[in-house]
Amino acid sequence: MIKQHTLLAIDTSTATMAGAILQQDQLLVKVQTEAERNHSIHIMTNIEHMLTEAKLSVHDVTAFITGIGPGSYTGVRIAVTAAKTLAWSSGKPVIGVSSLEGLAYGALLQEQEQLHQGSVVIIPLMDARRGQVYTAAFQASGTGKWERQHNDHIQLMNNWSQSIQEQLQSYAQNGITELWFVGDVNLHEEAIELVKVNANEQSITVRSLTSVMQGLAIAKLGEAKLSTMSEDELAEVHDLVPNYAQLTEAEVKQNAKEKEEGQV
């Protein structure tokens, strides 16, 4: 386990390129740019800018943290590739964290003052088109609790909304007082409204918060993961792979072709 650390974090899974440098729990610098189709052009420039502003070199970084998705297929690969390249060239470890967890945790950092004695379930939403979302669920409380409640996955938003409604009674029995939908909420207002109507019957408040990825959230999640990892676990840079949460269209077609030809 590494105790003294300077962490450089990046995520390009969404339209936001989010980055941050965290040193011993102190945020030295952050960057946020909106350029979904140009992440590959700007990512190294943004990283260099952060290092320059923090008066650091790549070799001063203890570990590189990257969001590994799910999210934009091309976007996810950009951050993962950049982080692995920097880690390999500098001989430093690379740590992957869930981009959905980063989106949820970033919303918590922004809205922490709104979290009082009860517990909240935070549901991140990344639009995946055709009525689908990349999503998950996390529980947080004013006592500092942070716990995953549902794995990262892709699902039709209407089905996900129904699934959440079926859990409302259980949430209430377990002390959940609020549900926060965060991320691309404006694209799924109708489904969220259905949850809100039914949640009122369980005395659960539903909040809809438009939010973007925060580099600080990615860094803090990486920091927490770093504190639990041994030197051996940090050694294999090339073991880190993106989490796409679904097959690409090309892979779907290839699998169908192989099945048709009797290869699988």
Side-chain angles (χ1 to χ4, degrees), residues 42 53 76 96 143 162 166-167 174-175 193 217 242 247 255 261:
H42 300 299
E53 188 172 334
V76 167
T143 61
Q162 182 61 41
E166 291 168 359
Q167 298 178 67
N174 285 284
E193 188 61 31
L247 297 176
N255 286 351
E261 295 174 351

Side-chain angles (χ1 to χ4, degrees), residues 149-223:
Q149 294 292 317
H150 200 291
N151 290 335
D152 296 354
H153 67 292
I154 185 171
Q155 188 172 5
L156 286 168
M157 183 59 194
N158 286 340
N159 292 347
W160 182 225
S161 171
Q162 182 61 41
S163 177
I164 294 167
Q165 290 174 65
E166 291 168 359
Q167 298 178 67
L168 288 172
Q169 186 175 1
S170 175
Y171 282 156
Q173 291 171 348
N174 285 284
I176 303 299
T177 57
E178 294 189 7
L179 292 182
W180 296 0
F181 287 91
V182 305
D184 294 331
V185 296
N186 59 317
L187 300 175
H188 303 282
E189 291 176 350
E190 186 175 335
I192 293 172
E193 188 61 31
L194 289 174
V195 176
K196 185 178 295 187
V197 169
N198 288 282
N200 285 338
E201 299 176 4
Q202 301 292 336
S203 298
I204 295 174
T205 300
V206 175
R207 299 181 65 200
S208 183
L209 306 169
T210 299
S211 58
V212 297
M213 192 69 72
Q214 302 285 332
L216 178 59
I218 297 295
K220 283 188 170 292
L221 291 173
E223 180 181 44

Side-chain angles (χ1 to χ4, degrees), residues 15 24 27 63 85 106 157 161 251:
Q24 296 302 107
L27 177 64
T85 300
M157 183 59 194
S161 171
E251 289 172 321

Side-chain angles (χ1 to χ4, degrees), residues 247 249-264:
L247 297 176
E249 185 176 354
E251 289 172 321
V252 170
K253 290 181 178 179
Q254 181 63 28
N255 286 351
K257 181 180 178 181
E258 290 177 354
K259 185 174 182 179
E260 193 175 292
E261 295 174 351
Q263 296 179 29
V264 293

Side-chain angles (χ1 to χ4, degrees), residues 1-199:
M1 181 178 71
I2 299 172
K3 295 182 179 180
Q4 304 295 322
H5 56 255
T6 299
L7 308 178
L8 190 154
I10 52 175
D11 186 282
T12 55
S13 62
T14 69
T16 299
M17 189 257 143
I21 296 179
L22 188 68
Q23 188 174 70
Q24 296 302 107
D25 292 327
Q26 179 183 357
L27 177 64
L28 299 185
V29 61
K30 66 177 182 178
V31 64
Q32 270 182 296
T33 61
E34 305 291 327
E36 183 172 9
R37 297 186 180 181
N38 295 303
H39 287 328
S40 60
I41 298 173
H42 300 299
I43 188 168
M44 294 311 298
T45 300
N46 286 332
I47 290 171
E48 290 172 4
H49 170 76
M50 286 195 295
L51 288 169
T52 299
E53 188 172 334
K55 296 181 172 59
L56 298 171
S57 75
V58 170
H59 297 284
D60 294 319
V61 176
T62 307
F64 295 91
I65 317 298
T66 179
I68 60 170
S72 162
Y73 178 74
T74 301
V76 167
R77 288 187 299 166
I78 291 168
V80 171
T81 300
K84 289 174 69 171
T85 300
L86 290 168
W88 179 81
S89 63
S90 62
K92 302 297 176 66
V94 62
I95 298 169
V97 300
S98 161
S99 297
L100 280 169
E101 186 170 6
L103 186 60
Y105 195 69
L108 177 64
L109 292 178
Q110 286 189 309
E111 300 290 327
Q112 194 106 40
E113 293 181 0
Q114 303 300 318
L115 187 60
H116 303 296
Q117 293 184 353
S119 292
V120 58
V121 169
I122 303 178
I123 301 167
L125 302 177
M126 291 183 189
D127 186 61
R129 300 180 182 179
R130 299 177 183 175
Q132 299 178 109
V133 289
Y134 296 108
T135 189
F138 302 87
Q139 185 176 347
S141 72
T143 61
K145 177 179 181 178
W146 179 258
E147 184 178 89
R148 179 181 284 275
Q149 294 292 317
H150 200 291
N151 290 335
D152 296 354
H153 67 292
I154 185 171
Q155 188 172 5
L156 286 168
M157 183 59 194
N158 286 340
N159 292 347
W160 182 225
S161 171
Q162 182 61 41
S163 177
I164 294 167
Q165 290 174 65
E166 291 168 359
Q167 298 178 67
L168 288 172
Q169 186 175 1
S170 175
Y171 282 156
Q173 291 171 348
N174 285 284
I176 303 299
T177 57
E178 294 189 7
L179 292 182
W180 296 0
F181 287 91
V182 305
D184 294 331
V185 296
N186 59 317
L187 300 175
H188 303 282
E189 291 176 350
E190 186 175 335
I192 293 172
E193 188 61 31
L194 289 174
V195 176
K196 185 178 295 187
V197 169
N198 288 282

